[in-house]
Amino acid sequence: MERKIKLIWDFRGPAAAKTAEHHEIHLKEYSTIEKLPINITGYQILNDMHAIAFMVVTDDYMISVRDALKPHRGELYEEK
């Protein structure tokens, strides 16, 4: 089984939630255009001043997506 990696973009400030929500739209578009095998994206509001947008990719796609989209960080993705 191939590892799944969650690429994360952090947004801070009073507009963080709206920015993360909007960023997810672009992540979905990228996933469709590039025909990525996994189509898991989302956003999460951590508090009033911090939100994240994320995309899950496999090891095979991590470097190319990382180089193209420049996420702030990444972590191993565990399905719930």
Side-chain angles (χ1 to χ4, degrees), residues 43-57:
Y43 72 96
Q44 185 178 7
I45 300 166
L46 303 176
N47 62 45
D48 290 346
M49 299 292 277
H50 186 200
I52 64 169
F54 64 87
M55 167 189 267
V56 177
V57 297

Side-chain angles (χ1 to χ4, degrees), residues 28-37 61 64-65 68-69:
K28 286 181 180 184
E29 290 170 347
Y30 181 85
S31 181
T32 301
I33 290 167
E34 296 297 321
K35 297 178 175 75
L36 298 179
Y61 291 88
S64 62
V65 173
L69 302 181

Side-chain angles (χ1 to χ4, degrees), residues 6-24 27 42-55 71-73:
K6 182 178 180 181
L7 301 176
I8 301 168
W9 290 261
D10 290 287
F11 301 97
R12 298 181 188 275
K18 283 291 189 188
T19 305
E21 182 179 4
H22 182 77
H23 193 71
E24 184 198 8
L27 295 176
Y43 72 96
Q44 185 178 7
I45 300 166
L46 303 176
N47 62 45
D48 290 346
M49 299 292 277
H50 186 200
I52 64 169
F54 64 87
M55 167 189 267
H72 298 125
R73 57 194 171 101

